[in-house]
């Protein structure tokens, strides 16, 4: 016995329980989702939840909107992972989707038809099922996020590991194709203006997608994963894509006017181009994150809330004027607000674009219509303010990809942006500059979190022929033929 102890003493001494060791789950090209059973979170539905647990089902109603039911039916595949939450009340388990199609939950279980299920295999129950620390997080990937099925893309995995999986499941997910650029989670500093150049067929447009995703997320990944993230970010407005051509102009890119085809007589309406719009989003995000506040609601979001009774119930909307009198908004088209004066006079209109410009401080109204514009402006500005305990805005990077940047007259398209694009001329930079645009927008500046990625075909025009003022503001990255591929194909 003494000999046994002597030979194995180190083994016995070292044989202590390992604490806080995470279970690492590699995704291996599979996807990760949140699924919420929030519709069954009440005590009265506990028996229904027990049936789901007994059968190891995840469920969703087939009428769930925003493509969630279709994704549940068609996008979930064998081997994908889900974490199951009971609404914002409880974190339940991590599971793996099993082979097989979806099916209908028998009506006698839910007392309602239309519920569909997928079979899963439970992997790891929550060690801390209380989601209270996550209540302030309202993004869709969190238990309190207003969604039933949400994919946790690779740009969100690090955040989900930190806030959800490590503290609540003792688990971390890793994506084989994802590489952290900085251990601190900070985004690597990229040049604000980049042009990928080279002869045709060398992958410039292909790599512009990967570069844009890297700038926004701080993650280098394979192209397949980057394309999935790219499509998501483009849909959310954090990445935009445009192709230049010979007829492309400043009015298309920044600001200009377009014919108003809704009006019977010839007249024009303001137009805001792709650069103006993405610069506005980036600036709003930058200022909100700098001031540690939540992002204000958009003009369109608040305006649509105000006119909702007109759209849904055909009821007019009353707006109280400074005098205490009220005018009624009776109809709204794409560009025009129709209203009735307090005196009963009809056939009066306000411009939605002018209203938005006044709300955003771009212009002022001094005509007699000011009495009607400004009460509505005040109402919109009040409704745009964040209410309650809203999550503070985090700094995000925005990217505009300009394909075939040298096919347009670049100096003509960029106009005064030639100056504003410089890193030291951007908002809060050492030599910050702001300009008044042709549309009257005062104090326009380019934020530091907006990046331009251009592609340039040198078979059309060499770099030497590019405007020198533009050349010195961009960093050029070359893409050239790989002749070793020819040697491989020749054997």
């Amino acid at each position: 016995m003494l000999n046994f102890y002597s030979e194995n003493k180190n083994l016995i001494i070292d044989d202590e329980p390992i604490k806080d060791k995470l279970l690492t789950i590699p995704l291996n090209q599979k996807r990760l989702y949140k699924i919420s059973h929030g519709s069954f979170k009440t005590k009265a539905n506990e028996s229904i939840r027990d049936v789901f647990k007994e059968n190891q089902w995840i469920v969703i109603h087939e009428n769930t909107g925003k493509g969630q039911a279709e994704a549940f039916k068609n996008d979930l595949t064998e081997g994908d992972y889900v974490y199951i939450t009971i609404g914002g009340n409880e974190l339940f388990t991590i599971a793996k989707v099993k082979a097989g199609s979806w099916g209908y939950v028998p009506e006698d279980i839910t007392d309602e038809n239309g519920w569909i299920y997928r079979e899963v295999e439970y992997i790891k129950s929550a060690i801390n099922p209380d989601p209270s620390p996550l209540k302030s997080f309202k993004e869709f990937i969190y238990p309190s996020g207003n969604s039933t099925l949400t994919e946790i893309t690779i740009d969100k995995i690090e955040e989900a590991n930190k806030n959800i999986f490590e503290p609540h499941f003792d688990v971390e997910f890793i994506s084989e194709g994802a590489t952290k650029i900085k251990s601190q989670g900070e985004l690597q500093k990229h040049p604000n203006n980049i042009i990928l150049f080279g002869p045709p067929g060398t992958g410039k447009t292909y790599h512009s997608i990967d570069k844009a995703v890297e700038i926004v997320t701080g993650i280098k990944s394979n192209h397949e994963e980057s394309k999935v993230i790219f499509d998501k970010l483009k849909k959310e407005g954090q990445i935009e894509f445009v192709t230049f051509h010979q007829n492309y102009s400043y009015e298309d890119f920044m600001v200009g006017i377009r014919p108003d085809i809704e009006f019977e007589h010839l007249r024009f309406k303001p137009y805001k181009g792709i650069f103006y719009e993405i610069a506005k989003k980036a600036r709003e995000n930058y200022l909100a994150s700098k001031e540690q506040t939540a992002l204000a609601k958009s003009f369109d979001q608040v305006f649509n809330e105000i006119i909702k009774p007109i759209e849904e119930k055909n009821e007019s909307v009353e707006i109280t004027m400074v005098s205490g009198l009220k005018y009624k908004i009776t109809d709204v088209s794409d560009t025009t607000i129709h209203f009735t004066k307090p005196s009963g006079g009809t056939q009066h209109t306000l411009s939605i674009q002018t209203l938005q410009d006044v709300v955003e401080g771009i212009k002022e109204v001094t005509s007699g219509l000011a009495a009607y514009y400004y009460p509505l402006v005040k109402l919109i500005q009040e409704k745009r303010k964040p209410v309650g305990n809203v999550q503070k805005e985090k700094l995000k990077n925005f990217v505009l990809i300009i394909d075939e940047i040298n096919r347009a007259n670049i100096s003509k398209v960029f106009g005064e942006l030639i100056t504003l694009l410089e890193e030291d001329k951007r908002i809060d930079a050492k030599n910050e500059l702001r300009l008044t645009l042709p549309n009257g927008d005062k104090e326009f500046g380019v934020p530091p979190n907006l990046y331009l990625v251009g592609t340039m075909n040198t078979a059309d025009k060499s770099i030497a022929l590019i405007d020198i003022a533009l050349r010195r503001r961009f960093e050029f990255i070359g893409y050239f033929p790989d002749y070793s591929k020819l040697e491989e194909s020749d054997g």
Side-chain angles (χ1 to χ4, degrees), residues 299 302 306 355 359 376-384:
F299 171 86
V302 173
I306 292 172
L355 177 66
V359 168
L376 189 50
V377 167
K378 184 179 179 181
L379 178 62
I380 292 173
Q381 288 174 336
E382 288 175 354
K383 286 183 173 289
R384 290 187 73 189

Side-chain angles (χ1 to χ4, degrees), residues 87-307:
N89 289 4
E90 179 189 349
L91 291 161
F92 175 46
T93 190
I94 292 171
K96 195 173 185 178
V97 179
K98 296 173 72 172
S101 185
W102 57 274
Y104 281 100
V105 177
E107 189 178 341
D108 60 348
I109 294 176
T110 58
D111 293 327
E112 183 184 5
N113 59 21
W115 287 97
I116 55 180
Y117 72 87
R118 297 286 298 264
E119 291 186 350
V120 297
E121 175 188 355
Y122 292 169
I123 292 176
K124 185 74 163 64
S125 298
I127 58 168
N128 178 13
D130 180 14
S132 298
L134 302 173
K135 289 288 186 185
S136 61
F137 295 95
K138 300 301 181 183
E139 289 184 60
F140 290 165
I141 66 170
Y142 289 97
S144 296
N146 187 23
S147 71
T148 302
L149 180 70
T150 298
E151 181 181 358
I152 304 172
T153 51
I154 62 170
D155 58 311
K156 291 289 185 183
I157 286 176
E158 186 177 354
E159 178 184 343
N161 279 335
K162 178 183 176 182
N163 296 329
I164 302 171
F165 299 123
E166 293 177 10
H168 293 277
F169 292 95
D170 227 4
V171 164
E172 69 169 347
F173 285 92
I174 58 171
S175 175
E176 202 171 53
T179 305
K180 294 180 186 176
I181 292 200
K182 280 195 177 180
S183 60
Q184 300 296 325
E186 299 172 359
L187 296 181
Q188 183 185 34
K189 176 61 178 172
H190 295 269
N192 278 108
N193 310 309
I194 302 169
I195 288 180
L196 313 182
F197 75 96
T202 49
K204 300 178 294 296
T205 304
Y206 181 93
H207 285 97
S208 70
I209 291 173
D210 299 338
K211 177 62 72 174
V213 170
E214 181 186 337
I215 290 171
V216 171
T217 66
I219 292 173
K220 283 183 178 178
S221 183
N222 61 52
H223 183 74
E224 289 71 26
E225 287 186 336
S226 291
K227 185 60 169 63
V228 171
I229 300 171
F230 172 85
D231 291 338
K232 173 177 174 286
L233 293 170
K234 190 173 183 297
K235 188 176 180 181
E236 294 172 354
Q238 209 169 332
I239 294 178
E240 293 288 358
F241 187 101
V242 65
T243 301
F244 277 7
H245 51 80
Q246 289 88 340
N247 290 329
Y248 206 79
S249 67
Y250 176 88
E251 289 76 16
D252 298 312
F253 194 57
M254 272 295 288
V255 291
I257 56 174
R258 295 278 172 90
D260 186 351
I261 59 175
E262 283 195 357
F263 200 64
E264 57 185 4
H265 301 297
L266 177 62
R267 72 175 187 181
F268 296 89
K269 61 182 179 181
Y271 175 80
K272 294 172 180 174
I274 192 168
F275 183 88
Y276 183 96
E277 293 291 0
I278 195 169
K280 176 184 170 185
K281 291 177 187 175
R283 185 171 60 251
E284 289 175 348
N285 167 264
Y286 174 74
L287 295 175
S289 64
K290 176 186 171 185
E291 296 165 7
Q292 294 288 293
T293 59
L295 195 63
K297 291 182 180 179
S298 69
F299 171 86
D300 289 337
Q301 185 179 355
V302 173
F303 184 70
N304 288 332
E305 287 176 8
I306 292 172
I307 65 171

